[in-house]
């Protein structure tokens, strides 16, 4: 992808499409920065953990809403 963007920038420059060159350069900068952001590690070499904001279920969350009958799983 990066090589493709570089080739497209060369083509756009050759044709004098300055606005296209600018837009492609922004895309190239982002594509080049992406692998660097993915490869960041802690000082000891372990990958960083990502907080995905996973919900925590409690017993209360598993009980039926007030006023609704409990249903036994069928299977």
């Amino acid at each position: 992808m990066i090589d493709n963007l570089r080739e497209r920038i060369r083509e756009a420059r050759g044709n004098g499409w300055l606005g296209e060159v600018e837009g492609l350069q922004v895309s190239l900068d982002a594509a080049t920065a992406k692998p660097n952001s993915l490869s960041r590690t802690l000082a000891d070499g372990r990958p960083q953990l990502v907080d995905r904001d996973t919900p925590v279920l409690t017993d209360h969350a598993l009980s039926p809403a007030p006023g609704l009958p409990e249903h036994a799983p069928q299977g």
Side-chain angles (χ1 to χ4, degrees):
M1 185 167 103
I2 291 173
D3 289 340
N4 179 273
L5 285 167
R6 287 181 177 140
E7 180 58 36
R8 290 175 60 196
I9 289 170
R10 279 192 287 276
E11 179 184 2
R13 281 189 180 132
N15 290 317
W17 303 332
L18 301 181
E20 185 75 7
V21 170
E22 186 177 338
L24 289 168
Q25 188 63 53
V26 169
S27 296
L28 177 62
D29 293 345
T32 306
K34 187 67 174 181
N36 295 333
S37 69
L38 294 174
S39 65
R40 289 189 195 124
T41 58
L42 297 174
D44 65 1
R46 293 180 296 148
Q48 292 183 13
L49 298 177
V50 176
D51 180 10
R52 298 190 59 188
D53 197 28
T54 306
V56 176
L57 299 178
T58 63
D59 289 340
H60 177 69
L62 299 175
S63 61
L68 294 179
E70 291 189 36
H71 293 286
Q74 296 178 3

